[in-house]
Amino acid sequence: MTAATHSSVSPADADTADAVLLGLDPEQREVATTLRGPVCVLAGAGTGKTRAITHRIAYGVRSGLLMPASVLAVTFTNRAAGEMRGRLRTLGAGGVQARTFHSAALRQLQYFWPRAVGGELPRLLERKIQFVAEAGARCRIRLDRNELRDVTGEIEWAKVTQTVPADYPAAALKAGREAPRDLAEIAQIYGTYEQLKRDRGMIDFEDVLLLTVGVLQDRHDIAEQIRAQYQHFVVDEYQDVSPLQQRLLELWLGDRDSLCVVGDASQTIYSFTGATPDHLLDFRTRYPQATVVKLVRDYRSTPQVVHLANGLLGQARGRAAEHRLELVSQREPGPDPVYAEYPDEPAEAEGVAGRVRDLIAAGVPAGEIAVLYRINAQSEVYEQALADAGVPYQLRGAERFFERAEVQKAVLALRGSARSGGSDDPLLQDVVELPSQVRAVLSSTGWTTEPPTGSGAVRDQWESLAALVRLAEDFARSRPGVTLADLVVELDERRAAQHAPTVQGVTLASLHAAKGLEWDAVFLVGLTDGMMPITYAKTDEQVEEERRLLYVGVTRARHHLTLSWALSRAPGGRPSRRPSRFLNGLRPGSAALGSRPGGPEAGAARKRGRRGPALCRVCGRTLTEAGEIKLMRCEDCPSDMDEGLYERLRDWRAGQSKLQGMPAYCVFTDKTLMAIAEAAPGEAGQLSMISGVGGRKLERYGADVLAICAGQEPAGADPDDA
């Protein structure tokens, strides 16, 4: 589900600081070599942000400027932390701590609790929903299954925003929360839930952060000890930090500024959990001296996928949209996105399953295909359709990989063989290489060289074992000479971090669960108004977050992208649904929201008449300089100008200047020609949107310019004769 963005440095090559920089693009190299002071990396989807920050840490370690044990890199998922640790180890910076916020805080809390509070740290409550149900019952409030989940979510939001039960109603009202029950009832359940935990000597994950913050605020000696340990901080996915996590980060830092944050406001999709991009957007206000680097070269997706992603964000509004990054694909062209309409949901699922089967037959691995939907309830019809088509699949967010019975049995068998050293194990006689040893051991637990036919439990179990085999192969490639015992240690570490290997089946996942992942082929399904955006997205900001969620889905695709919707729920139903409004103006045959008759020129003229602040189309910054406004980008932002087209336009302009006896800039300025060469418009409406191309110039020169952009010769007639 993931792949290197571009050429990598092998462990053998990364033996010097300069070797770590090999293969980085100019912007990534700037990130890697800027080791002093605050650094803010604005990184679009697929631009190699993890690569940039891991190479930054490794470069600092290799050059002697950073001690591995003094660096703490934090992110938001165990998978991301595990991937970061693996990359750092490959680059020779294995001593660096890469953890989630909760993991780092829990480790510190466990160490300092006896000294700060006394006794043992209370037990960790991993699943709070049962306690919430009991709290509701004690308050004589009956909660159905959905309400129970939503009330639990409200309690989590309250805690990460540092809101106590008594203040919850006012805070929820102010934040515009769509509460599942009366606010006073939720506050009552919240208070009872907290009392239940205290009575039973337990804490939840939010308490881990709250208690760590409390210890660091009250015990300056402990805070100073942690600051002496960790002197350099890297925060990934910074747009997702909550107020509580930001407070913890500030306490870790103290009065220092050795901080590198990485994020993309256009990928903020967790505001319902308390996440906010404000900390990322305000970074330069808090640190005026910060170095800001923008990563916009997309190594993941084809130009066709990137074009759709940019178009989707081009319609966005709000503060996050003002800072959007316009991606520039670095890949070869691929197929255009496919838009598919179906009469009903079963037909859509059957159609998707058929397309998936065709892709697999064409050579795309099942593990490189994903079907993404807005809510988990949509998965059932796709599970059935894929099973009927004989296509293996896995549900992301279902049972944890290392908790599966077949995985536990396999790990136990590997551990036994590792202990014996192979001497007493007949399976390992004359087997030397690690992957071959693993295949031999797992053959006794149900793994075979060929997968079983069909789907179901037997196929699921085989896929789990096959994932362990592939993990062993990757592990042996990255660390030559490793043993079976080394692999068992790696599996134990992955189990503790819940960093599961990839299972080779089509992934079924919600759009939220797909964040941070990527596939060769992605199917975005159920894209109707009411589902995308979801019906309960009422405010402008909630609708914009839904748009960002779809953007995240689009940018998961490397090569193939299909977007589909059904006009009714069930066969024979009234076709009353409409495709998502977010696709208006993007899918073939649709008009942008708010468009009126009168052709592209009239629409463009109306748009010019009510144009707001000009925004850089690469980084989203508000433009103030006339030259930048013409280009619609900052002077120092990357240009994707067609140099040949620019020279042809200059030659044509020289001819017009001579023909009319006027300075060349009176035809078009250099900046306007550059803007045209960057946009390469294909129709009059697109040309008219470029600053410096007014209605009169469009009439006089439009046909010639469009012909040149199309690679044709202009008519060459005297424009005054028109």
Side-chain angles (χ1 to χ4, degrees):
M1 287 183 285
T2 59
T5 53
H6 40 292
S7 60
S8 306
V9 179
S10 71
D13 294 333
D15 55 357
T16 66
D18 288 341
V20 172
L21 302 178
L22 296 177
L24 300 183
D25 67 32
E27 294 79 27
Q28 292 172 341
R29 181 180 286 255
E30 184 179 0
V31 174
T33 55
T34 307
L35 299 173
R36 302 291 186 189
V39 177
C40 179
V41 184
L42 302 176
T47 57
K49 66 179 179 65
T50 305
R51 179 182 178 83
I53 58 177
T54 52
H55 282 245
R56 177 182 190 269
I57 295 169
Y59 178 74
V61 170
R62 289 288 192 181
S63 62
L65 296 174
L66 300 178
M67 294 297 293
S70 73
V71 181
L72 177 59
V74 288
T75 186
F76 282 81
T77 67
N78 289 316
R79 171 176 283 276
E83 180 184 354
M84 196 178 294
R85 283 194 298 272
R87 292 199 192 192
L88 289 169
R89 184 170 56 213
T90 298
L91 292 168
V96 172
Q97 291 293 317
R99 297 180 173 273
T100 64
F101 269 101
H102 286 91
S103 172
L106 180 59
R107 193 163 180 258
Q108 294 172 13
L109 200 60
Q110 288 170 331
Y111 184 81
F112 289 109
W113 185 266
R115 174 172 149 195
V117 181
E120 292 186 3
L121 182 70
R123 287 180 299 136
L124 186 63
L125 176 65
E126 294 197 13
R127 290 180 56 82
K128 60 173 67 70
I129 201 162
Q130 293 176 338
F131 271 43
V132 174
E134 185 175 344
R138 289 196 177 193
C139 296
R140 299 182 183 278
I141 300 172
R142 183 186 295 273
L143 300 172
D144 63 30
R145 184 177 179 181
N146 290 331
E147 287 177 327
L148 187 58
R149 182 196 64 222
D150 292 343
V151 169
T152 302
E154 287 301 293
I155 291 174
E156 291 173 347
W157 172 83
K159 298 187 76 166
V160 300
T161 56
Q162 302 177 76
T163 303
V164 298
D167 295 338
Y168 168 78
L173 200 60
K174 182 178 179 181
R177 302 288 294 180
E178 289 285 334
R181 297 290 296 240
D182 179 78
L183 297 179
E185 288 183 336
I186 295 177
Q188 186 182 5
I189 295 171
Y190 177 15
T192 306
Y193 165 80
E194 290 296 306
Q195 186 60 52
L196 274 173
K197 286 197 290 96
R198 285 192 293 271
D199 292 345
R200 296 176 187 176
M202 303 195 78
I203 57 175
D204 60 27
F205 281 105
E206 290 72 37
D207 290 329
V208 169
L209 300 183
L210 284 163
L211 290 168
T212 306
V213 165
V215 168
L216 296 182
Q217 285 180 158
D218 296 342
R219 292 292 299 268
H220 297 293
D221 57 328
I222 293 176
E224 288 305 318
Q225 186 173 340
I226 290 177
R227 290 168 193 159
Q229 169 72 48
Y230 297 117
Q231 299 166 25
H232 308 279
F233 296 86
V234 177
V235 184
D236 193 13
E237 303 288 3
Y238 193 55
Q239 78 278 351
D240 289 334
V241 295
S242 68
L244 180 57
Q245 289 164 333
Q246 176 64 22
R247 179 61 185 141
L248 178 58
L249 178 61
E250 291 167 355
L251 288 165
W252 281 339
L253 273 168
D255 58 1
R256 300 166 300 172
D257 63 1
S258 186
L259 171 65
C260 174
V261 300
V262 189
D264 179 10
S266 296
Q267 296 188 67
T268 305
I269 59 173
Y270 297 112
S271 68
F272 61 91
T273 68
T276 170
D278 289 345
H279 304 299
L280 174 66
L281 300 179
D282 293 338
F283 192 82
R284 280 174 285 186
T285 303
R286 295 200 310 278
Y287 299 102
Q289 76 280 25
T291 299
V292 178
V293 185
K294 297 165 185 170
L295 303 183
V296 297
R297 303 173 196 255
D298 188 326
Y299 297 94
R300 175 188 299 162
S301 305
T302 62
Q304 288 76 9
V305 173
V306 168
H307 179 72
L308 175 58
N310 287 338
L312 194 59
L313 282 191
Q315 301 177 357
R317 299 292 179 267
R319 192 179 181 211
E322 292 172 2
H323 296 79
R324 60 179 169 260
L325 300 167
E326 183 156 338
L327 302 176
V328 182
S329 176
Q330 306 297 299
R331 292 193 55 178
E332 292 295 319
D336 287 330
V338 174
Y339 297 86
E341 183 174 278
Y342 296 92
D344 52 67
E345 289 182 6
E348 182 182 6
E350 185 178 341
V352 167
R355 289 174 182 264
V356 167
R357 189 172 52 199
D358 292 343
L359 283 173
I360 294 174
V364 180
E368 287 295 348
I369 303 174
V371 178
L372 307 180
Y373 33 76
R374 177 60 182 83
I375 60 174
N376 288 319
Q378 292 172 273
S379 75
E380 185 177 0
V381 66
Y382 292 95
E383 293 177 58
Q384 185 62 54
L386 290 171
D388 290 346
V391 175
Y393 66 86
Q394 58 168 327
L395 271 174
R396 182 160 181 82
E399 181 185 21
R400 290 179 173 180
F401 179 83
F402 287 103
E403 293 174 3
R404 299 175 186 175
E406 66 271 17
V407 173
Q408 292 179 343
K409 181 180 177 182
V411 172
L412 191 63
L414 291 170
R415 193 185 309 280
S417 294
R419 283 204 189 105
S420 69
S423 57
D424 300 326
D425 194 336
L427 291 170
L428 300 184
Q429 289 178 358
D430 302 322
V431 181
V432 178
E433 294 182 344
L434 175 65
S436 299
Q437 290 179 331
V438 171
R439 294 188 200 101
V441 173
L442 295 189
S443 65
S444 66
T445 66
W447 181 80
T448 55
T449 54
E450 294 297 325
T453 58
S455 57
V458 174
R459 179 61 183 252
D460 290 344
Q461 291 167 9
W462 183 90
E463 293 288 355
S464 297
L465 299 178
L468 291 174
V469 171
R470 286 190 299 274
L471 175 62
E473 293 168 347
D474 293 341
F475 190 57
R477 273 195 298 269
S478 66
R479 297 175 63 183
V482 291
T483 66
L484 197 56
D486 294 326
L487 177 65
V488 170
V489 171
E490 173 75 5
L491 290 172
D492 287 342
E493 291 178 355
R494 282 174 168 261
R495 179 188 177 93
Q498 285 302 323
H499 181 199
T502 302
V503 175
Q504 279 299 322
V506 173
T507 298
L508 295 177
S510 70
L511 286 164
H512 282 101
K515 177 75 166 60
L517 302 175
E518 58 187 80
W519 296 268
D520 281 345
V522 169
F523 292 80
L524 302 177
V525 301
L527 300 181
T528 59
D529 261 356
M531 190 59 73
M532 178 56 68
I534 200 82
T535 48
Y536 52 74
K538 304 292 186 185
T539 67
D540 289 345
E541 179 48 41
Q542 288 169 342
V543 170
E544 286 305 317
E545 180 153 337
E546 292 287 299
R547 190 194 308 275
R548 295 194 295 269
L549 187 58
L550 181 56
Y551 171 79
V552 166
V554 168
T555 55
R556 299 311 93 195
R558 297 194 195 105
H559 194 75
H560 302 278
L561 177 63
T562 300
L563 305 94
S564 64
W565 57 91
L567 298 179
S568 67
R569 187 180 68 82
R574 188 165 62 91
S576 58
R577 294 175 173 176
R578 288 185 293 184
S580 169
R581 71 190 76 164
F582 297 147
L583 301 181
N584 289 343
L586 300 175
R587 62 184 176 87
S590 67
L593 281 177
S595 62
R596 294 186 177 89
E601 295 89 346
R606 281 192 296 272
K607 186 168 183 179
R608 282 199 302 274
R610 61 173 184 270
R611 179 176 286 160
L615 304 176
C616 173
R617 59 188 173 81
V618 179
C619 70
R621 183 177 69 83
T622 300
L623 303 175
T624 55
E625 297 294 328
E628 291 184 338
I629 291 174
K630 280 187 179 294
L631 289 175
M632 291 307 293
R633 65 172 174 82
C634 306
E635 286 279 4
D636 56 351
C637 279
S639 168
D640 54 352
M641 182 178 70
D642 184 334
E643 297 284 352
L645 174 57
Y646 178 65
E647 291 304 320
R648 293 195 299 274
L649 288 168
R650 281 175 59 88
D651 291 343
W652 166 82
R653 182 183 65 174
Q656 291 294 321
S657 170
K658 183 177 180 180
L659 185 65
Q660 298 175 56
M662 64 171 67
Y665 68 80
C666 290
V667 181
F668 287 122
T669 66
D670 285 348
K671 284 294 197 314
T672 298
L673 288 187
M674 288 177 67
I676 294 172
E678 289 185 349
E683 60 181 24
Q686 296 171 346
L687 178 59
S688 69
M689 295 299 296
I690 296 173
S691 180
V693 183
R696 185 167 176 270
K697 290 190 177 183
L698 181 68
E699 183 178 351
R700 301 182 81 187
Y701 307 126
D704 280 4
V705 170
L706 290 173
I708 294 169
C709 289
Q712 303 165 359
E713 289 295 323
D718 186 342
D720 286 332
D721 294 336

